[in-house]
Amino acid sequence: MSCIKCKKDLPEGAAFCPWCGKKQAFSPRRKSRRPNKTGTVYKKSGNRARPWVASRSGVTVGYFETKKEALEALERVSGKRLTDRYNMTFSQVYDGWKKEHFEEVGDTTIAQYKRAYDVAAPLHDRLFRELRTPDFQAVLDAQKDLAKSTVEKFKQLFTSMSDWAIREEIIETNFASYAKAKGADSKPHQPFTAEEIEKIKAEGSETARIVLMLLATGMRISELFDLPLADYHKDYVIGGEKSEEGRERIIPIREEGREHFAYFAAKAKVMLLDGYTGNKNAPNFRKRNYYSLLDRLGIDRNKTPHSTRTTYATRAVDEGLSPAVAQKVLGHADFDTTQKYYNKPDAESLVSAVTAAAQKEKPKDTKGRHKRQRQ
């Protein structure tokens, strides 16, 4: 062994060179440290598929196969504020999102969101920041046998949750918005015929009265059952749900439906339908009272409760109500939705309308006619 400085031979095991005095022990090179507050990378013991851990400010950024991947992950979150929310799962994001959102929607919409959450069970324990468009697409594709409108509601939950997660700095991109809602085309709701409406009027039960109230306002069942007595004003009510345009809207009551509103108002205490002896829960009313009424009257069950809205819109157009006004009464956010509720007229009614317009006489100018005759 020779001196590391003067290169002379050294006695075996010498710590210092006897000629130049140089210390011979080699100090191991100190490992470089990352700058403060930029995070750390370390390796966990044991046989693991992803042993390398990247963390910052006490928040785990992720687990990786190699140290390089862990360092790259730290670089990606550089400058981003990290909290415990960064590692929220799908279920945790849903819980945070619903605390705010459920205060803004009605019971029917809440039920739809809960169903969408249940459908997304494969995502519940996944970190929300790791979800990408294919993950959301797989959930939607598994439901493609349902009506397209239903699958679109599932997607609506995912996109709304993603918007919330962006606001909370959990993610940067709404990947759910790029997913496609595939499903069977919904069948249009068939309006009630004049003969069927007469059958309902003649039946005379309280359930029939409620159906006639729906026909007279175009309200949803849930909107009617959630209507406080204080919002009833004899010839109109103030209520609604779903979109911003749908809530707290003025809903005129058609003249033939006012007696039924007055009937329940006389029995009410807090809610307009307090005095109804049937099911006051909208879904139960639909299943047990509404369809039982149709069965008794021999009316096909394809006339769903939503058919009352279609009937209202169809009659409104036939009677000359402005589509813009119909949109406000029905509480639709856009006119395209309102148009879907209109019953498509048949060829005979279109031909009759055009013929009547063409045959309509213009006011006669008698003075001008006499003047031309004298000339």
Side-chain angles (χ1 to χ4, degrees):
M1 187 174 75
S2 59
C3 174
I4 61 176
K5 181 177 180 182
C6 66
K7 306 303 181 183
K8 291 184 178 181
D9 291 336
L10 299 176
E12 186 69 28
F16 294 89
C17 177
W19 287 273
C20 67
K22 177 66 177 176
K23 184 178 180 180
Q24 301 301 302
F26 291 95
S27 298
R29 180 178 296 178
R30 296 183 64 182
K31 295 181 179 179
S32 60
R33 297 183 59 186
R34 292 180 58 82
N36 289 338
K37 298 182 180 181
T38 61
T40 183
V41 169
Y42 61 93
K43 187 177 183 180
K44 301 195 76 171
S45 60
N47 185 17
R48 302 169 185 268
R50 295 186 295 175
W52 290 94
V53 183
S55 67
R56 200 188 85 197
S57 304
V59 177
T60 300
V61 176
Y63 299 86
F64 306 91
E65 292 184 12
T66 65
K67 182 178 181 180
K68 179 182 178 183
E69 290 176 342
L71 291 170
E72 289 173 347
L74 283 180
E75 291 301 322
R76 287 195 296 271
V77 298
S78 176
K80 181 186 294 185
R81 184 172 67 89
L82 295 187
T83 66
D84 290 340
R85 287 177 174 265
Y86 183 69
N87 283 322
M88 289 177 75
T89 63
F90 182 95
S91 292
Q92 290 170 331
V93 169
Y94 175 77
D95 289 338
W97 167 86
K98 75 178 183 181
K99 287 179 182 177
E100 298 179 17
H101 203 71
F102 279 11
E103 295 180 355
E104 304 173 354
V105 296
D107 291 341
T108 301
T109 304
I110 288 175
Q112 292 170 344
Y113 281 138
K114 288 181 177 179
R115 183 185 179 192
Y117 173 75
D118 292 339
V119 163
L123 306 181
H124 285 184
D125 296 329
R126 298 275 304 278
L127 293 181
F128 201 87
R129 63 181 171 83
E130 293 182 351
L131 297 177
R132 296 294 183 268
T133 301
D135 298 310
F136 295 112
Q137 190 67 62
V139 172
L140 297 178
D141 286 348
Q143 309 300 320
K144 62 183 179 181
D145 291 338
L146 299 178
K148 186 176 181 180
S149 58
T150 300
V151 182
E152 286 173 344
K153 290 182 175 68
F154 298 161
K155 177 184 174 180
Q156 184 179 350
L157 170 67
F158 304 155
T159 56
S160 185
M161 286 174 58
S162 297
D163 286 337
W164 185 88
I166 290 174
R167 191 196 73 186
E168 296 298 313
E169 298 184 336
I170 300 170
I171 60 175
E172 296 179 350
T173 304
N174 189 333
F175 290 105
S177 65
Y178 300 109
K180 305 295 183 183
K182 305 170 186 176
D185 291 333
S186 301
K187 295 180 180 179
H189 298 284
Q190 296 298 315
F192 286 90
T193 65
E195 292 76 15
E196 289 170 338
I197 294 175
E198 289 302 319
K199 285 184 179 181
I200 297 172
K201 288 180 180 177
E203 205 270 348
S205 67
E206 288 188 342
T207 299
R209 285 182 181 273
I210 291 177
V211 176
L212 293 171
M213 292 163 74
L214 296 172
L215 287 166
T217 56
M219 297 177 74
R220 302 174 180 87
I221 288 181
S222 55
E223 291 176 335
L224 185 56
F225 276 93
D226 291 341
L227 186 69
L229 177 61
D231 288 337
Y232 164 64
H233 302 279
K234 294 186 178 181
D235 56 358
Y236 72 94
V237 296
I238 298 177
E241 60 179 31
K242 295 194 87 172
S243 65
E244 183 176 348
E245 292 78 5
R247 291 188 293 272
E248 299 300 314
R249 68 185 190 272
I250 296 174
I251 306 173
I253 304 171
R254 290 174 63 96
E255 187 173 358
E256 70 271 13
R258 293 173 189 171
E259 65 174 283
H260 307 300
F261 275 86
Y263 169 84
F264 284 108
K267 302 171 62 178
K269 294 180 179 179
V270 179
M271 308 302 288
L272 180 66
L273 295 182
D274 277 343
Y276 176 52
T277 56
N279 288 279
K280 298 183 181 66
N281 174 272
N284 288 341
F285 170 85
R286 185 181 192 274
K287 294 176 184 176
R288 299 170 188 170
N289 300 105
Y290 176 83
Y291 284 114
S292 294
L293 174 68
L294 297 192
D295 292 341
R296 289 198 303 273
L297 299 179
I299 299 175
D300 197 303
R301 280 180 168 235
N302 68 357
K303 303 298 171 62
T304 69
H306 238 63
S307 293
T308 60
R309 284 169 65 77
T310 307
T311 306
Y312 182 91
T314 301
R315 291 198 295 184
V317 171
D318 290 343
E319 294 166 1
L321 184 67
S322 163
V325 174
Q327 178 183 340
K328 291 183 180 297
V329 173
L330 292 169
H332 291 148
D334 57 78
F335 180 65
D336 287 342
T337 305
T338 307
Q339 276 190 313
K340 294 177 183 178
Y341 280 77
Y342 292 160
N343 186 33
K344 294 181 179 179
D346 54 29
E348 183 179 350
S349 61
L350 286 175
V351 171
S352 298
V354 172
T355 302
Q359 292 178 347
K360 188 176 180 180
E361 292 185 358
K362 296 181 180 180
K364 295 181 180 180
D365 184 357
T366 55
K367 292 183 180 179
R369 184 185 62 189
H370 294 319
K371 183 178 180 180
R372 286 192 297 272
Q373 289 176 346
R374 288 196 298 271
Q375 291 177 344

